[in-house]
Amino acid sequence: MHSGGRRAVAATTALASLLTALSACGGAEDSGATQAAGRAARTPAATAAATRIPGVGDRLQRRIPSGSRQVVAVYGDGKDSADSTVVLYTKHGSTWQRERGWAGHNGKKGWTTDHHEDDDRSPVGVFTLSDAGGVLPDPGSGLPYTRSAAFAAPRWWAKSHWHDFDYVIAIDYNRVKGTPPNDPTRPQGAKKGGGIWLHMDHGSGTSACVSVPEQAMGYLLRTLDPRQRPVVVMGDRADLAA
């Protein structure tokens, strides 16, 4: 059993669920479903000998830790777009290989290089991926996994959002690594936001998180390995390439 499995929470209160939902990505608004089909085809192609993550310029490429061998790249369609493509790359020797790709979503107002609480934009950057959790049982996560009903979205949110947090992977932006994804500690202060996750997609933009289909979340949870020092490289295509 993974060490995170021993952190499973047997019972939670309604208040805990409320506080978790309000501090996490998602949001009560439902802007309507968007057509995601075909976005994966616009992902920069990996060559047979890709020594860099495709579509990522020197500025962010240098921020990928030298020991990282798994990168989740999130290619936002545009600065103000909620649509994105999510691709998992794995390093073999000195080259990066594209493993899987999915259509996804990011902040409903797009992206920012200076994220703040409630701006409805996802932060551009490179962030480690250290912890996972959700409402559902551990599907075989390589990352420490915390199961808790406290992850559940409030039932006054649109029904399409109710399963957003069945599975989540914490994006290490303004959080303490090694804690459950819903830990409320914000080292840079509350104004800088937090609770930014990879989570299940509801068909439209998020408050700041990145969302992917359920099968993608299951695959990422089973595939991401702490020993490979996984990171997410995320942003709109222009900022990624800069």
Side-chain angles (χ1 to χ4, degrees):
M1 178 181 293
H2 299 293
S3 61
R6 293 191 290 271
R7 301 194 310 222
V9 179
T12 59
T13 64
L15 177 60
S17 296
L18 170 63
L19 292 175
T20 295
L22 292 180
S23 67
C25 178
E29 296 181 8
D30 185 4
S31 60
T34 56
Q35 294 298 320
R39 294 209 301 273
R42 299 200 295 273
T43 305
T47 65
T51 57
R52 299 161 57 92
I53 301 299
V56 178
D58 290 343
R59 179 176 59 90
L60 293 180
Q61 201 87 42
R62 286 192 293 265
R63 291 176 55 187
I64 300 173
S66 60
S68 291
R69 306 192 72 80
Q70 289 179 322
V71 168
V72 178
V74 184
Y75 299 97
D77 275 11
K79 188 73 173 180
D80 301 318
S81 173
D83 296 335
S84 56
T85 301
V86 180
V87 179
L88 174 65
Y89 295 99
T90 301
K91 196 171 190 180
H92 300 274
S94 61
T95 63
W96 291 96
Q97 176 178 310
R98 184 185 188 278
E99 301 292 343
R100 298 279 183 94
W102 308 273
H105 291 94
N106 48 266
K108 59 176 69 76
K109 292 184 179 178
W111 297 89
T112 179
T113 56
D114 186 22
H115 175 67
H116 288 81
E117 186 75 11
D118 298 326
D119 64 9
D120 290 334
R121 292 180 179 270
S122 297
V124 175
V126 178
F127 309 101
T128 53
L129 301 170
S130 304
D131 302 280
V135 176
L136 297 180
D138 184 349
S141 175
L143 301 173
Y145 188 93
T146 299
R147 182 191 183 190
S148 173
F151 284 99
R155 287 310 188 250
W156 66 77
W157 287 10
K159 191 173 182 178
S160 59
H161 292 63
W162 286 3
H163 296 286
D164 281 11
F165 311 136
D166 282 357
Y167 292 131
V168 309
I169 297 172
I171 293 173
D172 292 336
Y173 169 88
N174 197 18
R175 71 177 299 269
V176 178
K177 298 180 188 180
T179 63
N182 56 353
D183 183 282
T185 307
R186 303 285 180 260
Q188 299 176 57
K191 290 184 179 180
K192 291 295 290 180
I196 298 177
W197 303 337
L198 285 162
H199 67 65
M200 306 252 284
D201 190 58
H202 55 249
S204 62
T206 70
S207 290
C209 296
V210 173
S211 61
V212 292
E214 179 177 5
Q215 57 94 7
M217 280 301 301
Y219 182 82
L220 289 171
L221 283 166
R222 291 187 296 270
T223 304
L224 295 178
D225 182 348
R227 295 170 297 183
Q228 305 303 315
R229 299 182 63 187
V231 300
V232 59
V233 180
M234 52 195 275
D236 59 281
R237 294 176 189 272
D239 267 324
L240 287 177

